[in-house]
Amino acid sequence: MVNTLYLPELREMLAENNAAELREFSTALHAARTAEFMEGLTPAEAWGVLAHADPETRAEIFGYFDRDKQIEIVENSDRADIAQLIINLPNDDRVDILRDVNPEIVQDLLPHLPLSDRRDILRLQSYPEGTAGSVMTTAYARIPEGYTVRQALEELGRQAENIETIYYVFVVDDREHLRGLVTARQLVSAIGKPNTKIDDIMERDLVTVRADEDREKVAQEVARFDLHAIPVVDDDHHMVGIITHDDVIDVLREEASEDVYRMAAMEPLVENYLEAAFHSIWWKRAFWLSWLFLAEMLTLFVMKGFVHSIDKVVALAFFVPLCIATGGMSGTQAATLITRAMALGHIQLSDWVRVIRHELAIGIALGFSLGAMGFVGAYLATDHATLGGAAAWKFSLVIAQAVMAICLWGTLVGSMLPLAFRRFGVDPAYASSPFVATFVDVTGILILFSLAEIYLF
Amino acid sequence: MVNTLYLPELREMLAENNAAELREFSTALHAARTAEFMEGLTPAEAWGVLAHADPETRAEIFGYFDRDKQIEIVENSDRADIAQLIINLPNDDRVDILRDVNPEIVQDLLPHLPLSDRRDILRLQSYPEGTAGSVMTTAYARIPEGYTVRQALEELGRQAENIETIYYVFVVDDREHLRGLVTARQLVSAIGKPNTKIDDIMERDLVTVRADEDREKVAQEVARFDLHAIPVVDDDHHMVGIITHDDVIDVLREEASEDVYRMAAMEPLVENYLEAAFHSIWWKRAFWLSWLFLAEMLTLFVMKGFVHSIDKVVALAFFVPLCIATGGMSGTQAATLITRAMALGHIQLSDWVRVIRHELAIGIALGFSLGAMGFVGAYLATDHATLGGAAAWKFSLVIAQAVMAICLWGTLVGSMLPLAFRRFGVDPAYASSPFVATFVDVTGILILFSLAEIYLF
């Protein structure tokens, strides 16, 4: 939903190039809100408005534009201006943006940047998407060992301008090894005793991550230890950057979406649903849907294989949807439960035996309840005129057994598939309802008709 | 997975009541890690270890125990000691814990607490679960209007001990109205000019939430504005508390789990999968499964209603699983996409027309691709000896049409159900794959056989 409240005024200010009012507009509100009011503007217009804001505010507001608008502005505006903008963007965000910009344009831009920023961008770009390195920033507060509280506070005052957060101050030795952490809270509390040595109050047992670790692991650590930011180190414990809580929140939201989409057997949608391009949504859904459809065709041939049973007792065919739905639903529950438990770090691969035992018990319990219902349903549905009472009983028992067996089977398959996927390095979320359902549909029909052939003919 | 690394040593220290080593153990590591090493201990043992830590450390470690252990300790230990513990717990956490403690014991405990803490607990307890009030803390940094940077820093130093975060300092007037916010970063940057007036540097346009708003909304705001904490106000803009980023991270994780579970048609699992009680898991799964199973029984009677068509062309029965699976899969995709888009705030109810247009187009596109595959499959599967070539063509066309229609139908139902649920105040996540699938299974069979009757007989 685009916020159009200020659009007319904005366009008017632009038309008459009213510098004063445009500057006023760009500073009056929180940058995120200002960006929201500019949603309706074209990238060119938006950039025109930002031209009147001071560089810091400009970068701040720009940071809240949606990605497409950012890209278009970067690619189509004066290189020098963009370079200025990039200098003022947070180190991690600007790398994310440049990732999506036409590489040739990035090459044009880099020379306009100070050497330090250029180096920083190239280094951060070297970390693959999804790793801790790809979401970290190199702009963190650092002080050498041996400082006092007063020195630290003064140094922090100097750095405050250019760093992402001042709340964690990292103590590094002369070779950039991470030695400890002192929080702004500790510094402020010690303001009364300015000569306290940092080394005496700093935290030495730090939770750290390596730059090549999965960003999901980072999120888990930060959530578990309630951290404001987590330091990123290389193999020799050199400090290379930090990941702050706001980046972790973004990671958690993205990862949650990814899992949910994959559980529905579609490729994750990165953009806003209503703004996503038709072909992109179509492809993300059609791809898996087609494969699943092909797999599901197996049911066709299985059914065909049992045509003689259907000819004998056509009623069997009536129960196919019920039976395969039972497997699909129980499988979906199990798969979801296990996938989520893994995502939250509650179960590891090594727990698979406990999981099987667990799901075996649950599957049997669920199977009995559904089987009982199935029996009643079958008994009511079979027409006793043609089949006769005894046969109806026997038939209903077969259905009940089939429902029970398929429910248990679905539960076991659903609980083991995610673990198997993880074991082979595939995202467990892919072991989702449609996959489990498709697999269980085919096998479910086999179970139903096999039981029928054993007991009925 | 319980970490048993230190268990023997810990038990030994407890046995010989080795105060020195136990104190050492409780302070050597990050509290979260210490708690992890104590997972294997009984609540009594764990409390015995904590007895040797200073009150602050004790509360910190206690805060990382799992809920059951916390409850058991609170309910079975000396009231005075527990009161001491409660005083040192973060205001929001202690209320969460007391919510689960036997109310009589809470009544016994309250008299042991200082009046201020007692009042605070009772006030926070009055906010219903799931609201902003239920996750906020009242321990925030506040200064009156008119302070200078020096005064603010000194005041902050005094408050630092007892507040959740010093990074946002809230400026309130003499009647506790929220006037503005100054960050520790601003204060530290201004350390050089200690006489700067706070009123001149503070942020006045603040993002706030009301205590009765949904905690999910809070998480969205914090994520959108990259806040470190968000102030909670009442209707008269009195400041009543703050919600910090670590609480938001917990909310995001819980909400994500809730949605995922509901999408699999089961009640959210709050506890750890491997630790959850069997009956609780069984019930959370059996409840919905049984209802869905009953609903799915409709397929049985629908199939029965078309027995004459099956008698005429038994091959129709072969295609039932394929057709209903098509509806289920396409419906699941649509439902998930819309549910997630709503959770992320990308779609509002008012967008329903755009969503329908969108899904209509997608549904037709997907329907064509699957329909084509369905045609080929049907043509290969029908045995041309009994039904001649022409009939086989006709039959395959009917199947193709059915697949196409059911795919479109599933897509539309899947996309509209979540919106309908939201409209009637039900969590859209319930409009999940199993629900959509069950609904589409029944209707899908109707579509298949109706088309068959129109074209084949």
Side-chain angles (χ1 to χ4, degrees), chain A residues 1 29-30 32-33 36 64 153 156-157 160 163-167 183-185 188-189 191 205 207 223-228 245-246 248-249 252-253 256-257 260-261 263-266 269 272-274 278 281-282 285-286 289-290 292-294 296-297 299-300 303-304 307 310 314 317-322 324-326 329-330 332-334 336-338 340-341 344 346-348 350-351 354-355 358-359 361-362 365-366 369-370 373-374 377 381 403 411 433 445, chain B residues 1 29-30 32-33 36 64 153 156-157 160 163-167 183-185 188-189 191 205-207 223-228 245-246 248-249 252-253 256-257 260-261 263-266 269 272-274 278 281-282 285-286 289-290 292-294 296-297 299-300 303-304 307 310 314 317-322 324-326 329 332-334 336-338 340-341 344 346-348 350-351 354-355 358-359 361-362 365-366 369-370 373-374 377 381 403 411 433 445:
Chain A
M1 302 218 309
L29 301 165
H30 186 295
R33 240 178 248 167
E36 191 186 326
Y64 287 105
L153 278 169
L156 201 51
I163 53 181
E164 185 115 337
T165 172
I166 66 152
Y167 306 142
T183 65
R185 176 197 291 259
V188 171
S189 319
I191 242 168
D205 166 53
V207 183
R224 179 152 144 256
F225 293 101
D226 294 334
L227 302 175
H228 171 76
H245 63 86
D246 51 325
V248 167
I249 286 178
L252 282 171
R253 281 160 63 96
S257 301
V260 167
Y261 291 137
M263 285 180 182
M266 59 178 292
L269 194 71
N272 178 320
Y273 168 78
L274 286 173
F278 181 85
I281 291 196
W282 176 80
R285 292 161 73 163
L289 207 49
S290 311
L292 290 169
F293 186 83
L294 283 177
E296 191 74 31
M297 277 198 182
T299 59
L300 182 55
M303 292 283 286
K304 210 175 163 207
V307 60
I310 299 177
V314 68
F318 305 164
F319 287 89
V320 168
L322 182 62
I324 63 184
T326 305
M329 296 185 298
S330 51
T332 301
Q333 281 191 340
T336 306
L337 203 55
I338 301 304
R340 192 64 200 164
L344 292 174
H346 290 168
I347 45 179
Q348 275 66 26
S350 51
D351 297 317
R354 293 176 65 189
V355 173
H358 209 284
E359 291 301 305
I362 289 274
L366 293 175
S369 357
L370 298 193
M373 292 195 247
V403 168
T411 307
S433 40
I445 298 173
Chain B
M1 304 218 309
L29 301 165
H30 187 294
R33 237 178 248 167
E36 191 186 326
Y64 287 105
L153 277 168
L156 200 53
I163 54 180
E164 186 117 332
T165 172
I166 66 150
Y167 305 143
T183 65
R185 176 197 290 259
V188 171
S189 321
I191 243 170
D205 166 54
L206 300 185
V207 183
R224 178 152 145 255
F225 293 101
D226 296 334
L227 302 175
H228 171 77
H245 62 87
D246 51 324
V248 167
I249 286 177
L252 282 171
R253 282 159 62 96
S257 300
V260 167
Y261 291 136
M263 285 180 183
M266 58 179 293
L269 194 70
N272 178 319
Y273 168 77
L274 286 173
F278 180 84
I281 291 196
W282 176 80
R285 292 161 73 164
L289 208 49
S290 310
L292 289 169
F293 186 83
L294 283 178
E296 191 74 31
M297 277 197 183
T299 58
L300 182 53
M303 292 283 285
K304 211 175 164 208
V307 61
I310 300 177
V314 68
F318 305 164
F319 288 87
V320 169
L322 183 61
I324 62 184
T326 304
M329 295 185 299
T332 301
Q333 281 191 339
T336 306
L337 203 54
I338 302 304
R340 191 63 200 165
L344 292 174
H346 291 168
I347 312 185
Q348 273 67 26
S350 50
D351 296 318
R354 292 177 64 189
V355 173
H358 208 286
E359 292 301 305
I362 289 273
L366 292 174
S369 358
L370 298 191
M373 293 195 244
V403 168
T411 307
S433 40
I445 299 174

Side-chain angles (χ1 to χ4, degrees), chain A residues 157-185:
Chain A
R158 278 190 290 279
Q159 294 182 16
E161 279 292 293
N162 318 313
I163 53 181
E164 185 115 337
T165 172
I166 66 152
Y167 306 142
Y168 282 5
V169 183
F170 296 93
V171 181
V172 293
D173 67 16
D174 44 19
R175 291 195 341 290
E176 285 296 307
H177 289 108
L178 176 58
R179 286 277 174 245
L181 160 68
V182 58
T183 65
R185 176 197 291 259

Side-chain angles (χ1 to χ4, degrees), chain B residues 374-403:
Chain B
F375 180 85
V376 177
Y379 194 76
L380 299 177
T382 49
D383 86 43
H384 303 240
T386 54
L387 309 126
W393 263 94
K394 205 165 160 208
F395 179 80
S396 311
L397 272 175
V398 169
I399 297 299
Q401 272 186 55
V403 168

Side-chain angles (χ1 to χ4, degrees), chain A residues 89-96 120 124 136-139 162 164:
Chain A
L89 283 172
N91 300 30
D92 45 355
D93 297 356
R94 65 189 185 187
V95 173
D96 288 347
D120 186 68
L124 287 182
M136 78 181 181
T137 176
T138 50
N162 318 313
E164 185 115 337

